[in-house]
Amino acid sequence: MSATVFLPYLFSLFLLLLLLPLTLARGLGSEHSDKSVRHRTVQILHAYSPTSPLRPPSAAPASWEDSVLQVQSKDQARLLYLSSLVAGKSVVPVAYGRQIIQTPTYVVRVKVGTPPQTLLMALDTSNDAAWLPCSGCTGCAPVLFASAKSSTFRGLPCQAAQCTQVPNPTCLGSSCGFNLTYGSSTMAAALSQDTVALASDAVPSYTFGCIQKATGNSLPPQGLLGLGRGPLSFLSQTQNLYQSTFSYCLPSFRSLNFSGSLRLGPIAQPKNIKFTSLLRNPRRSSLYYTNLIGIRVGRRVVNIPGSALAFNPTTGAGTIFDSGTVFTRLVEPAYNAVRDEIRRRMGNATVSSLGGFDTCYAVPIVVPTITFMFQGMNMTLAQDNFLIHSTATSITCLAVAAAPDNVNSVLNVIATFQQQNHRILFDVPGSRLGVSRELCT
Ligand SMILES: *[C@@H]1O[C@H](CO)[C@@H](O)[C@H](O)[C@H]1NC(C)=O
Ligand SMILES: *[C@@H]1O[C@H](CO)[C@@H](O)[C@H](O)[C@H]1NC(C)=O
Ligand SMILES: *[C@@H]1O[C@H](CO)[C@@H](O)[C@H](O)[C@H]1NC(C)=O
Ligand SMILES: *[C@@H]1O[C@H](CO)[C@@H](O)[C@H](O)[C@H]1NC(C)=O
């Protein structure tokens, strides 16, 4: 494959093909005598993989650098969006010179309705509700859910209990609707229910938003499945089946032999996995906060002021794991400490920048590992998880960046480039998050 053919693939990321066979493993310690508790493995796809139907025609950038810039501009919008969640107010991100498609990058096949219609819905660990474009929608992408063709579809009335769980509920006639800002988009949706199935478990009367009007281009084209912790999330609505427990493994961006999986339920989760506590922020209950206490570059713990990492529910400060940001962002004092240590080790070698990355070298970067030290768990990243190579220019960059400094930037985000080839386990009842190295490819 020639370089020009290969390059777009590098950053467009990939179709995650193969399911990993379920490994036999113990459950997570809660009771599973209840036969209704399931374990299922679902294939995860990358939205912009070469074979993804969601891939926009313009998603084939001319060069590696372009790809980096593109991914980063999307990330920037995502960061602003997450910051706005944390701040508890809606800040609409502005474009950074390029058109921004602020879409979580990983999607799963979801069957909706009777008979089932398949949609590729984005996985978003930082949101709760599910919503999808319905027929009749103005401003939505072309693939729509035809609610009239489903015998099990129904709209929810204003009196429905779920109507109090959506943001900004409105009553149109007697039906419950809501308006939502997502990234730079807005939408108006009717709160609805239908049968929804991931894997082979059909969940009757699943509550979601049926989008009727959308503006902007931030919405995942075939909808979004919220994997947060709030009342309307997938976890809450499948509590009986999967006990609010799931894990995923995202493959290396560089692999052409992709596979990725979303594993639902406590039973078949890995045995050898280290845990750190999940922290709850009542102001933003859906986000998966963890307690990052330090960062090691190689064997040296770099000097980061405690305040840069401390969890603070009032300001929203702290560290989250997110499935919709590609490159990890650290608040400036933390980022600077990591960057300075890498530059120190590189001695006289000439440092350059590329896109939003400011620590790039034309010679190999000699740092073997970076470790995120969480309370109770060290997550050690091999070079594939923190260095990014340009095959075109032979430049290698530190694939981590400082948080955008123009808004409430108090949030550290552990992003998907750093999570790839790890299984990340979200054990909500146990209030813990686990990480283990696993080849997803
Ligand atoms: C929600 O959005 C719809 C459609 O854009 C609009 O007509 C309506 O006024 C909005 N409602 C609220 C409460 O903002
Ligand atoms: C792809 O995966 C298959 C089976 O998992 C393996 O046999 C093959 O060697 C892999 N190919 C590459 C290029 O990694
Ligand atoms: C780095 O530069 C200093 C001063 O110019 C020089 O003395 C030293 O030998 C250089 N080190 C390397 C590894 O090139
Ligand atoms: C993580 O690494 C640090 C520094 O090497 C070490 O002191 C600490 O005990 C480790 N933590 C765990 C939970 O292994």
Side-chain angles (χ1 to χ4, degrees):
M1 195 183 273
S2 80
T4 45
V5 173
F6 175 74
L7 285 172
Y9 288 55
L10 187 64
F11 266 85
S12 304
L13 316 183
F14 303 122
L15 175 61
L16 319 180
L17 282 176
L18 302 170
L19 297 192
L20 286 162
L22 283 185
T23 52
L24 291 176
R26 63 172 175 124
L28 287 174
S30 42
E31 293 145 41
H32 306 301
S33 48
D34 181 352
K35 284 207 186 68
S36 66
V37 177
R38 309 288 170 78
H39 59 95
R40 298 286 186 227
T41 303
V42 181
Q43 190 180 6
I44 299 181
L45 311 154
H46 195 283
Y48 300 131
S49 71
T51 54
S52 168
L54 294 182
R55 190 172 192 229
S58 60
S63 71
W64 186 86
E65 289 85 348
D66 273 355
S67 323
V68 174
L69 290 168
Q70 247 177 36
V71 170
Q72 280 196 332
S73 66
K74 280 178 219 158
D75 259 11
Q76 194 85 347
R78 174 81 180 173
L79 266 289
L80 292 173
Y81 170 66
L82 291 172
S83 300
S84 77
L85 291 183
V86 162
K89 55 177 186 258
S90 173
V91 176
V92 178
V94 288
Y96 281 78
R98 270 167 194 274
Q99 193 188 35
I100 288 172
I101 310 163
Q102 184 248 322
T103 300
T105 30
Y106 294 96
V107 295
V108 288
R109 284 196 183 82
V110 182
K111 294 196 182 85
V112 186
T114 311
Q117 301 174 37
T118 301
L119 293 169
L120 290 169
M121 293 174 74
L123 288 179
D124 191 340
T125 54
S126 298
N127 272 280
D128 288 340
W131 27 263
L132 47 88
C134 285
S135 38
C137 173
T138 50
C140 287
V143 176
L144 303 167
F145 170 63
S147 55
K149 290 188 182 155
S150 171
S151 62
T152 42
F153 177 85
R154 69 177 193 120
L156 284 177
C158 298
Q159 310 88 287
Q162 292 88 343
C163 200
T164 60
Q165 294 169 342
V166 292
N168 316 315
T170 55
C171 247
L172 287 174
S174 61
S175 47
C176 175
F178 66 95
N179 287 1
L180 195 71
T181 300
Y182 187 84
S184 57
S185 287
T186 61
M187 71 169 95
L191 200 61
S192 311
Q193 288 188 330
D194 205 338
T195 301
V196 162
L198 248 86
S200 45
D201 301 317
V203 184
S205 303
Y206 193 95
T207 304
F208 58 88
C210 206
I211 307 173
Q212 295 171 326
K213 187 175 176 189
T215 64
N217 55 9
S218 292
L219 301 181
Q222 297 185 23
L224 176 139
L225 190 67
L227 291 175
R229 286 186 274 186
L232 278 185
S233 78
F234 180 77
L235 273 62
S236 306
Q237 296 197 54
T238 59
Q239 166 67 25
N240 294 340
L241 288 175
Y242 309 128
Q243 297 198 334
S244 297
T245 305
F246 69 97
S247 69
Y248 57 66
C249 191
L250 307 173
S252 166
F253 290 32
R254 288 204 281 159
S255 165
L256 291 176
N257 211 11
F258 350 75
S259 67
S261 63
L262 172 69
R263 204 177 280 169
L264 302 167
I267 294 165
Q269 301 297 349
K271 211 178 200 159
N272 287 323
I273 191 158
K274 292 176 288 180
F275 286 102
T276 189
S277 294
L278 282 174
L279 308 177
R280 264 196 179 282
N281 180 349
R283 295 187 60 195
R284 197 55 214 177
S285 55
S286 52
L287 299 180
Y288 290 103
Y289 278 93
T290 53
N291 192 5
L292 180 65
I293 52 180
I295 301 176
R296 224 164 57 201
V297 174
R299 295 171 64 177
R300 175 186 285 214
V301 178
V302 296
N303 190 13
I304 300 172
S307 61
L309 302 179
F311 173 58
N312 180 338
T314 309
T315 61
T319 303
I320 65 165
F321 275 72
D322 182 44
S323 65
T325 309
V326 179
F327 297 110
T328 289
R329 297 297 185 118
L330 300 172
V331 297
E332 209 164 293
Y335 176 72
N336 290 350
V338 170
R339 178 198 66 190
D340 291 350
E341 175 60 14
I342 289 175
R343 289 187 178 177
R344 190 189 66 79
R345 288 184 179 224
M346 294 303 290
N348 295 348
T350 306
V351 66
S352 61
S353 66
L354 183 61
F357 297 130
D358 67 3
T359 299
C360 304
Y361 291 95
V363 295
I365 294 182
V366 294
V367 176
T369 58
I370 289 182
T371 302
F372 292 130
M373 299 158 63
F374 296 93
Q375 191 87 57
M377 169 185 95
N378 288 331
M379 179 184 186
T380 295
L381 306 179
Q383 288 197 337
D384 273 1
N385 286 116
F386 67 90
L387 298 181
I388 194 156
H389 308 276
S390 159
T391 44
T393 62
S394 305
I395 279 180
T396 300
C397 296
L398 170 64
V400 175
D405 61 3
N406 50 354
V407 277
N408 182 38
S409 61
V410 292
L411 197 61
N412 299 297
V413 179
I414 308 296
T416 55
F417 190 87
Q418 277 67 39
Q419 293 175 35
Q420 66 194 7
N421 281 338
H422 290 88
R423 183 156 292 275
I424 312 292
L425 170 58
F426 298 79
D427 174 9
V428 174
S431 212
R432 55 189 187 162
L433 179 145
V435 175
S436 70
R437 191 95 192 138
E438 178 177 317
L439 277 183
C440 314
T441 52

